[in-house]
Each structure stands twice: as structure tokens, then as C-alpha cells.
Amino acid sequence: MLTRLANLGIRHPKRLLGLAGLLLVLAAVYGAPAASHLASGGFYDTGAESGVALNTLTNTFHTGDPNLVLEVSSPAGANSSATRTVGIKIADDLQHQRFVSQVSSYWTAPAAQAAGLRSHDGKAGLIAVRVVGNDNEAPKRAYDMYKSLVGTHDGVTVKAGGIVATVHTVNQLTTSDLAKSEAIAIPITVVVLILVFGSFVAALLPLVVGISSIVGTMALLRGLGRLTDVSIYALNMTTAMGLALAIDYSLFIISRYREEIRNGADADTAIRTTMRTAGRTVLFSALTVGLSLAAMLVFPMYFLRSFAYAGIGVVGLATLAALVLLPAMLKILGPRVDALDLRAFLRRRFGRPAPAIKPLEQTFWYRFATAVMRRALPIGLVVTALLVGLGLPFLHANFGFPDDRVVPSTEAAHQVGDDLRTNFSTNAASTISIVVPDLSAAPDGVASYAGALSKVTDITSVSAVTGTYADGRQVAAGNPAMKVGEKTYLNLETSADAQSTQAKDTLAALRRVAAPWRVQFTGQTAVNQDSLSALGTAMPYAIGIIALATFLILFLFTGSLVLPIKALVLNTLSLSATFGAMVWIFQDGHLASLYGNLTTTGDLNATMPPLMFCVAFGLSMDYEVFLLSRIREAWLESDRTTAANTHAVAVGLGRTGRIVTAAAALMAIVFAAIADARVSFMMLFGTGLTLAVLMDATIVRGVLVPAFMRLAGRWNWWAPKPLAALHERFGLAEAPPAPAEERIAVNA
């Protein structure tokens, strides 16, 4: 297949590139507005009890937890004439908005509830609003409502907070941060590519592959957005992975092409050999990366599934572009692929001689691998201990879900959230609702149940169809709208922050209150707990899929039973160190000052570890396949002795070390640009992947792999006879390689 693709590019390069250009233009036109067709949430399990209860509240009662909170304040106080006038007018205007299902304000609520809507210092009052709509609609609708209300007028200040205001702020920041990261990463990437390739022309080829995969994936995401929920944050994955994989695959293919040309092959033969060898490696790499990302499909949150959609799309398109477009471009360019060699120009400009071409055995990475393998056991133990030590903080990891503190403290949504947590007796954005699907078992039990709930610590009031209760007593009349047929719901006001341990304890205490019917809890704390449980349930399946896919693909690639196990162990070790660093920085708060407005909350965004695990594991396998391909090639050309194994490892690292290091540096630039975001979970995502890529390409591939393979010796290539026979029959292999040179010259 790969040889046929090479022949296609050799025989019809202009037609191929013309067709690709036409498809790219169509994809760009269709995919350009993708962001406006994607959703903003997806962090929660909508199929859990809390999601079902929320569905009932929305569809049956046309209500739900307040998701927009307006804080109205003035130095004169919440009860001043000016503040009261503004508050009442805003509440009245919102009450008549098309997409508002409920409004409760300090100035209009019953006395039992109004007290919790006034700040401790008396300067601010709250308006709690429920804006209807899905994750994509509600934030936009809310913004249209409050954008003309916020600000300071006649000494009265209005700020918008709550979930929908936070989501809108996150969307704005994410969109601008994405544009900024692209503006930073792409120019730096071009410069580094020129330094790596020397030729300006060659440096542009990875960008062609990357842009093709990014534009195509954006069109794919827009199309998927018409069929299912797709998170807007998947666009970050599209850009980062598109550039990163394009660079990886292009570097590997172009470097192998140049190597074949230096060894005396003509251009067409070099392309065919490159596709048969490096192309095969790229295909295996893409399979491992794609399957690692596909593992996110097992999670019920569409936030994670969206990254799977984007990842699978961008991997597939980057692979297609690398295997189809690169041969055609190499055919058309021919020797001109090395045109505009800026390094040569600078050498001439400063009178420096051209660098001598060194034999493989004199290159840095060959000598480094040889040095590591001389002391394989002590070096391997020290590096393993270092990675284990870096991973230890992950043992005390806490997980939660994002709230307003993911945006900078300069944003109004964050400021309102801080005020709700510290300056009000009731957190208007942290209510708990209990849905009763069927009252028929005890139709008169609502009052006693509501009274018992109101006695639970941190519950300030309980509203039900029979009345409002506080401390076990009824303090206000009921709301008949809270009962439809045999269904009803209760709304509980609480002083606890939804993300806090205190809120979890309160929810547990509420669940212990005996109910005369089956009840369903919802609200932010219940949603968080259900979603954490769903993540915990799905994670073993994701890990199992990745492990099984990695094992099978590496077995088909190498014919060894040992090397896939080695890859799984070393990659897990590397990722544990990365996760430990993330806990140390983003949970414990060390080095937080480097990130400007980062606010640590004592936990990690629960969706980030699964996401980072799948992405980082896939990318680490990318480098694993690159390295093993050249080690295996040298092993197959050898006499298969223990010494030959050691030599093959050194040859493999010598041939790929420079490429993998350059690819990792370029990939790190892309992810580091994301780490410069203003939304904290994107900071974590970018930082974690930057560390994972650099650690994997240097410590793991440069030290642990050669140390392990030196100690394992010929056992590296062992498989039981039945499996060896299976690989002989079904293993994917390229055509026999050309005879190896005794000393292959490569750039130092």
C-alpha cells in the first residue's frame, strides 16, 4: 500500500496536489465558523441521577438551579433608594425576558430567603436568575441580557456571575488565547524548523501538512456539531495536535528521504524507500496515537468525547497528508527541497566552514546511548527513582470540576464568585434540588420531609409545595407550581460552596434523611459527585483500551512480546511523574506565581487527568515507534547476538535522537503556547503536555529505553513460538530494506 502511495505521488504529483488544494479550500470555507457551532460545557454526566433530575426540573417544571447571579452594590448599601431602584428594575426586566424561567432578588423575595441574598456588610444584594437553554445557548442568552446591565451607573455597580457568566467568560478568553497561542507558536515553529532542516523550503512542508490536517478537522468538527454535542475546547486539540503531529511525521519522512539521497539513491527510489520504511513507521505511530485518543470515547462527558473526535480527525488527516502529499511535494521539489538553505547563507556570511559529516558512531546520540548502556543498571535505577519521586504528589491528588475560579481574578465572574463564598450567608449559585418522581406512596409526606431537611447543618432554607422551612419550622407559604401531577421538587439553599468538602458533607447528610419516596438529588455538588463517579468507572476501560491497543500494535510492529510491555511500563512511569508535577503546581500552588492570575482551589479539574493521559500516552508512543523502527531495522540486518542488540539500540538512537529531540522541542513550543492561556485548566493542559513531551523524548527515550534494552539483551525480541508464527503471518512489515552501509553519514 505504501509503495503504491509513493508511486501515485511520483506519477501524478500535480494532479494530486491540485485536488488536495481544492479540498482544502472547501474545508476552510466550511470549517472557518466551526467555533460558533460548538458547545461550551460537557464536563458532567447527564445520564447520572443528578442529570436525570435536572432534566425533570427543566422539562416538567421549567426551572432549575440559578445559573446567572447579578450582584448589585453601592457604598450606600443594598437598602439605599438608588440600589433598591436599580435592583427591582433589573429583576422586573429579567422576569419578562423570553429565556428566563425564574428570578429571585433580595428586594422582592420572601423575608426567609431575602436574608441570604444580602451581603454581610449590607452593601450588596443579589438577583438569582435561571436562564434556559443548553450549554451553548444559555451563556449566549445570558450575555445578551446582562451586557447592557453591568457596570457602574450613578454610584450603583452591577456585576454578573454564576455558571453562564463564567462559561461566557471562559469562551471569550479561550477564543482569544487560541488566536494568541497560534500567533506565538507558528512563527517560532517556522524559525525552529528552519534551524532543524536548514532549508526554508523544507521547513514549509510540515506546515503544509499541519494546516491541511487542522483545516480538515475544523470542518469535521463543524459537521459533527450538527449531529451531536461537540465542545469548543476541542479546537485547542485540533491546532496543537495538527501542528505537533505534522512536524513529527514530516521530520521523520523528510529526514529519511534526505538520508536515502545522501546514500546515493535517485529521487524516485528515495521516495519509495522512504515510504516503505519511514512511511510504515508513521502509519504505526498514527494507529497508536489515534487509538489512545479514541479511548476517550468511553467517557460519558462530551467534553472528553470531543477531544476524541478532534484527535482522531487530526491524526487521520495528518497521516493522510504525510503519506499522500509529502511524496508528491518531494517529487515536484526534487533537489529544490534543500533550496534557500539559511544555515549555508549564514556560514558564508560569517566565513564559517561547512560542518563535517560525521559517521554515525561519532554522533552525539550514538555515543550517549553507548555511554548509558555501559552503566545500564545504576543509571536506570537512578532515573526510575527520580521519576517515581516526581510522581509521588499524585498520591494525594484531589479532583473537582471548574467553577468561576478558572478565570483570572480580574474577571467579574470570579469576583462575584468570591463574594458569594465569603460575603453571603447563602451561596445563591450553590443550591441543591431534590426531585420526587412519584409522590403516590406518601402524598402528604412533603412537609415533614422538608422540615427534616431544613435541620441539616449549612441548609439555610428549604422551599417546597407545602411551604418554606428553616430550622424545622415553616416560615413562609408554599409554591403550588412546585408540584405537577405526582411529581414535585424541593429547593434547598445552602451556605456551603458547591466545590468544597463542606458541601460534600452536607449532601451526604441530606441523603441520610429518610424520605417516604424515591428521590433524586441534583445541584452542582451532586452533579460533581456523580460525574466523578462516572469518570472513575470509565477510566479503567480507557486504560484497558489504550494498553491493549498499544500492546497489539507494537507486537505487530516488532514481533516481540517484551517491547510492548516495556513501552507500557516506561510510558506509565513518565506520565506518573507528569501528573505528580501537575498536582504540585496546580493543586498545591507551588510556582503558581509564574502563571500570573492562577487561582488554586486545592483540587485538579477532574477531566484533565484522563484527557492528558490519553493524549500524552499517544504522543509518547509516537516517539516509541520512531525509535523502535530504526532499532528493529538495525537488529534485522545484524547477526542477532547480544552484542548486535546493543549495537542496534545505539544505531537506532543515533539515527532518531536528533529527529525526536527536534520534534519534541517543536511540539513543546506548541503546547507551551497553550500553557500561556488565562483559563486555568488550559494552563494545566498545556503545561502538563509540555512536560510530558520533553520528559518522554529525553529521559525516557534517551536514558531508560537504552538502559532497559541493554539489560534485556536478546530477550527484547522474544515471543512464544505460536505468537512468533502469528507475527510471521499477520505482522505488518515493509519490503526488505536495501543493504545497510557500514557507516552511515548524518548531520552532526
Side-chain angles (χ1 to χ4, degrees), residues 189-209:
T189 298
V190 172
V191 172
V192 177
L193 281 171
I194 292 172
L195 293 175
V196 172
F197 281 112
S199 161
F200 180 76
V201 173
L204 292 179
L205 299 186
L207 293 181
V208 173
V209 174

PDB file of all heavy atoms in Angstrom, residues 189-209:
ATOM      1  N   THR A 189       7.731  28.173  15.534  1.00  0.00           N
ATOM      2  CA  THR A 189       7.872  26.854  14.909  1.00  0.00           C
ATOM      3  C   THR A 189       8.575  26.956  13.565  1.00  0.00           C
ATOM      4  O   THR A 189       9.445  26.136  13.236  1.00  0.00           O
ATOM      5  CB  THR A 189       6.486  26.208  14.734  1.00  0.00           C
ATOM      6  OG1 THR A 189       5.892  26.018  16.021  1.00  0.00           O
ATOM      7  CG2 THR A 189       6.589  24.875  14.027  1.00  0.00           C
ATOM      8  N   VAL A 190       8.217  27.962  12.782  1.00  0.00           N
ATOM      9  CA  VAL A 190       8.865  28.147  11.476  1.00  0.00           C
ATOM     10  C   VAL A 190      10.360  28.375  11.647  1.00  0.00           C
ATOM     11  O   VAL A 190      11.188  27.780  10.942  1.00  0.00           O
ATOM     12  CB  VAL A 190       8.218  29.323  10.717  1.00  0.00           C
ATOM     13  CG1 VAL A 190       9.011  29.649   9.457  1.00  0.00           C
ATOM     14  CG2 VAL A 190       6.777  28.991  10.345  1.00  0.00           C
ATOM     15  N   VAL A 191      10.721  29.228  12.603  1.00  0.00           N
ATOM     16  CA  VAL A 191      12.142  29.518  12.838  1.00  0.00           C
ATOM     17  C   VAL A 191      12.892  28.251  13.248  1.00  0.00           C
ATOM     18  O   VAL A 191      13.973  27.948  12.727  1.00  0.00           O
ATOM     19  CB  VAL A 191      12.297  30.613  13.921  1.00  0.00           C
ATOM     20  CG1 VAL A 191      13.765  30.769  14.319  1.00  0.00           C
ATOM     21  CG2 VAL A 191      11.752  31.940  13.418  1.00  0.00           C
ATOM     22  N   VAL A 192      12.293  27.490  14.182  1.00  0.00           N
ATOM     23  CA  VAL A 192      12.966  26.272  14.649  1.00  0.00           C
ATOM     24  C   VAL A 192      13.036  25.241  13.525  1.00  0.00           C
ATOM     25  O   VAL A 192      14.049  24.537  13.378  1.00  0.00           O
ATOM     26  CB  VAL A 192      12.246  25.693  15.881  1.00  0.00           C
ATOM     27  CG1 VAL A 192      12.890  24.385  16.317  1.00  0.00           C
ATOM     28  CG2 VAL A 192      12.280  26.697  17.030  1.00  0.00           C
ATOM     29  N   LEU A 193      11.978  25.140  12.722  1.00  0.00           N
ATOM     30  CA  LEU A 193      12.012  24.209  11.592  1.00  0.00           C
ATOM     31  C   LEU A 193      13.126  24.569  10.612  1.00  0.00           C
ATOM     32  O   LEU A 193      13.805  23.692  10.068  1.00  0.00           O
ATOM     33  CB  LEU A 193      10.668  24.212  10.866  1.00  0.00           C
ATOM     34  CG  LEU A 193       9.540  23.407  11.509  1.00  0.00           C
ATOM     35  CD1 LEU A 193       8.213  23.676  10.799  1.00  0.00           C
ATOM     36  CD2 LEU A 193       9.854  21.919  11.490  1.00  0.00           C
ATOM     37  N   ILE A 194      13.335  25.858  10.388  1.00  0.00           N
ATOM     38  CA  ILE A 194      14.429  26.285   9.509  1.00  0.00           C
ATOM     39  C   ILE A 194      15.779  25.889  10.103  1.00  0.00           C
ATOM     40  O   ILE A 194      16.679  25.419   9.393  1.00  0.00           O
ATOM     41  CB  ILE A 194      14.361  27.809   9.271  1.00  0.00           C
ATOM     42  CG1 ILE A 194      13.119  28.158   8.444  1.00  0.00           C
ATOM     43  CG2 ILE A 194      15.623  28.302   8.561  1.00  0.00           C
ATOM     44  CD1 ILE A 194      12.860  29.637   8.328  1.00  0.00           C
ATOM     45  N   LEU A 195      15.909  26.044  11.420  1.00  0.00           N
ATOM     46  CA  LEU A 195      17.162  25.650  12.071  1.00  0.00           C
ATOM     47  C   LEU A 195      17.366  24.141  11.983  1.00  0.00           C
ATOM     48  O   LEU A 195      18.493  23.662  11.812  1.00  0.00           O
ATOM     49  CB  LEU A 195      17.150  26.086  13.539  1.00  0.00           C
ATOM     50  CG  LEU A 195      17.163  27.597  13.789  1.00  0.00           C
ATOM     51  CD1 LEU A 195      17.034  27.888  15.283  1.00  0.00           C
ATOM     52  CD2 LEU A 195      18.449  28.221  13.245  1.00  0.00           C
ATOM     53  N   VAL A 196      16.274  23.377  12.087  1.00  0.00           N
ATOM     54  CA  VAL A 196      16.385  21.919  12.030  1.00  0.00           C
ATOM     55  C   VAL A 196      16.675  21.443  10.616  1.00  0.00           C
ATOM     56  O   VAL A 196      17.578  20.637  10.374  1.00  0.00           O
ATOM     57  CB  VAL A 196      15.089  21.260  12.558  1.00  0.00           C
ATOM     58  CG1 VAL A 196      15.119  19.750  12.320  1.00  0.00           C
ATOM     59  CG2 VAL A 196      14.924  21.554  14.047  1.00  0.00           C
ATOM     60  N   PHE A 197      15.895  21.948   9.648  1.00  0.00           N
ATOM     61  CA  PHE A 197      16.042  21.493   8.268  1.00  0.00           C
ATOM     62  C   PHE A 197      17.139  22.228   7.518  1.00  0.00           C
ATOM     63  O   PHE A 197      17.688  21.717   6.541  1.00  0.00           O
ATOM     64  CB  PHE A 197      14.720  21.684   7.507  1.00  0.00           C
ATOM     65  CG  PHE A 197      13.695  20.639   7.789  1.00  0.00           C
ATOM     66  CD1 PHE A 197      12.535  20.950   8.472  1.00  0.00           C
ATOM     67  CD2 PHE A 197      13.868  19.340   7.363  1.00  0.00           C
ATOM     68  CE1 PHE A 197      11.573  19.995   8.722  1.00  0.00           C
ATOM     69  CE2 PHE A 197      12.908  18.368   7.612  1.00  0.00           C
ATOM     70  CZ  PHE A 197      11.762  18.695   8.296  1.00  0.00           C
ATOM     71  N   GLY A 198      17.446  23.462   7.952  1.00  0.00           N
ATOM     72  CA  GLY A 198      18.383  24.282   7.197  1.00  0.00           C
ATOM     73  C   GLY A 198      17.679  24.990   6.074  1.00  0.00           C
ATOM     74  O   GLY A 198      17.739  26.209   5.943  1.00  0.00           O
ATOM     75  N   SER A 199      16.958  24.269   5.255  1.00  0.00           N
ATOM     76  CA  SER A 199      16.275  24.820   4.092  1.00  0.00           C
ATOM     77  C   SER A 199      14.938  25.442   4.469  1.00  0.00           C
ATOM     78  O   SER A 199      14.133  24.830   5.173  1.00  0.00           O
ATOM     79  CB  SER A 199      16.056  23.713   3.060  1.00  0.00           C
ATOM     80  OG  SER A 199      15.060  24.071   2.138  1.00  0.00           O
ATOM     81  N   PHE A 200      14.702  26.645   3.968  1.00  0.00           N
ATOM     82  CA  PHE A 200      13.415  27.303   4.191  1.00  0.00           C
ATOM     83  C   PHE A 200      12.300  26.536   3.488  1.00  0.00           C
ATOM     84  O   PHE A 200      11.192  26.409   4.008  1.00  0.00           O
ATOM     85  CB  PHE A 200      13.474  28.741   3.674  1.00  0.00           C
ATOM     86  CG  PHE A 200      12.196  29.504   3.846  1.00  0.00           C
ATOM     87  CD1 PHE A 200      11.823  29.997   5.084  1.00  0.00           C
ATOM     88  CD2 PHE A 200      11.354  29.726   2.762  1.00  0.00           C
ATOM     89  CE1 PHE A 200      10.634  30.690   5.246  1.00  0.00           C
ATOM     90  CE2 PHE A 200      10.169  30.417   2.913  1.00  0.00           C
ATOM     91  CZ  PHE A 200       9.809  30.907   4.157  1.00  0.00           C
ATOM     92  N   VAL A 201      12.592  25.995   2.299  1.00  0.00           N
ATOM     93  CA  VAL A 201      11.601  25.243   1.540  1.00  0.00           C
ATOM     94  C   VAL A 201      11.199  23.979   2.305  1.00  0.00           C
ATOM     95  O   VAL A 201      10.007  23.674   2.457  1.00  0.00           O
ATOM     96  CB  VAL A 201      12.142  24.882   0.146  1.00  0.00           C
ATOM     97  CG1 VAL A 201      11.173  23.959  -0.584  1.00  0.00           C
ATOM     98  CG2 VAL A 201      12.386  26.139  -0.666  1.00  0.00           C
ATOM     99  N   ALA A 202      12.188  23.236   2.790  1.00  0.00           N
ATOM    100  CA  ALA A 202      11.887  22.016   3.546  1.00  0.00           C
ATOM    101  C   ALA A 202      11.105  22.333   4.819  1.00  0.00           C
ATOM    102  O   ALA A 202      10.245  21.555   5.244  1.00  0.00           O
ATOM    103  CB  ALA A 202      13.174  21.282   3.892  1.00  0.00           C
ATOM    104  N   ALA A 203      11.390  23.476   5.430  1.00  0.00           N
ATOM    105  CA  ALA A 203      10.706  23.851   6.668  1.00  0.00           C
ATOM    106  C   ALA A 203       9.229  24.132   6.439  1.00  0.00           C
ATOM    107  O   ALA A 203       8.421  24.028   7.371  1.00  0.00           O
ATOM    108  CB  ALA A 203      11.380  25.077   7.283  1.00  0.00           C
ATOM    109  N   LEU A 204       8.851  24.501   5.219  1.00  0.00           N
ATOM    110  CA  LEU A 204       7.451  24.798   4.942  1.00  0.00           C
ATOM    111  C   LEU A 204       6.604  23.543   4.780  1.00  0.00           C
ATOM    112  O   LEU A 204       5.381  23.591   4.934  1.00  0.00           O
ATOM    113  CB  LEU A 204       7.340  25.653   3.673  1.00  0.00           C
ATOM    114  CG  LEU A 204       7.880  27.083   3.765  1.00  0.00           C
ATOM    115  CD1 LEU A 204       7.718  27.793   2.431  1.00  0.00           C
ATOM    116  CD2 LEU A 204       7.186  27.863   4.877  1.00  0.00           C
ATOM    117  N   LEU A 205       7.234  22.416   4.449  1.00  0.00           N
ATOM    118  CA  LEU A 205       6.462  21.197   4.193  1.00  0.00           C
ATOM    119  C   LEU A 205       5.667  20.736   5.414  1.00  0.00           C
ATOM    120  O   LEU A 205       4.490  20.372   5.279  1.00  0.00           O
ATOM    121  CB  LEU A 205       7.391  20.085   3.692  1.00  0.00           C
ATOM    122  CG  LEU A 205       8.133  20.379   2.376  1.00  0.00           C
ATOM    123  CD1 LEU A 205       8.899  19.150   1.909  1.00  0.00           C
ATOM    124  CD2 LEU A 205       7.168  20.838   1.296  1.00  0.00           C
ATOM    125  N   PRO A 206       6.254  20.695   6.630  1.00  0.00           N
ATOM    126  CA  PRO A 206       5.439  20.326   7.798  1.00  0.00           C
ATOM    127  C   PRO A 206       4.262  21.271   8.018  1.00  0.00           C
ATOM    128  O   PRO A 206       3.200  20.841   8.481  1.00  0.00           O
ATOM    129  CB  PRO A 206       6.428  20.399   8.968  1.00  0.00           C
ATOM    130  CG  PRO A 206       7.768  20.229   8.339  1.00  0.00           C
ATOM    131  CD  PRO A 206       7.671  20.874   7.005  1.00  0.00           C
ATOM    132  N   LEU A 207       4.441  22.553   7.679  1.00  0.00           N
ATOM    133  CA  LEU A 207       3.335  23.493   7.847  1.00  0.00           C
ATOM    134  C   LEU A 207       2.198  23.182   6.873  1.00  0.00           C
ATOM    135  O   LEU A 207       1.019  23.325   7.221  1.00  0.00           O
ATOM    136  CB  LEU A 207       3.828  24.931   7.643  1.00  0.00           C
ATOM    137  CG  LEU A 207       4.797  25.457   8.699  1.00  0.00           C
ATOM    138  CD1 LEU A 207       5.189  26.889   8.388  1.00  0.00           C
ATOM    139  CD2 LEU A 207       4.181  25.373  10.089  1.00  0.00           C
ATOM    140  N   VAL A 208       2.540  22.764   5.656  1.00  0.00           N
ATOM    141  CA  VAL A 208       1.504  22.374   4.698  1.00  0.00           C
ATOM    142  C   VAL A 208       0.713  21.184   5.242  1.00  0.00           C
ATOM    143  O   VAL A 208      -0.523  21.162   5.197  1.00  0.00           O
ATOM    144  CB  VAL A 208       2.133  22.016   3.338  1.00  0.00           C
ATOM    145  CG1 VAL A 208       1.073  21.440   2.391  1.00  0.00           C
ATOM    146  CG2 VAL A 208       2.789  23.241   2.716  1.00  0.00           C
ATOM    147  N   VAL A 209       1.432  20.188   5.773  1.00  0.00           N
ATOM    148  CA  VAL A 209       0.767  19.021   6.355  1.00  0.00           C
ATOM    149  C   VAL A 209      -0.083  19.435   7.555  1.00  0.00           C
ATOM    150  O   VAL A 209      -1.234  19.007   7.705  1.00  0.00           O
ATOM    151  CB  VAL A 209       1.814  17.962   6.764  1.00  0.00           C
ATOM    152  CG1 VAL A 209       1.143  16.801   7.502  1.00  0.00           C
ATOM    153  CG2 VAL A 209       2.561  17.447   5.542  1.00  0.00           C
TER     154      VAL A 209
END
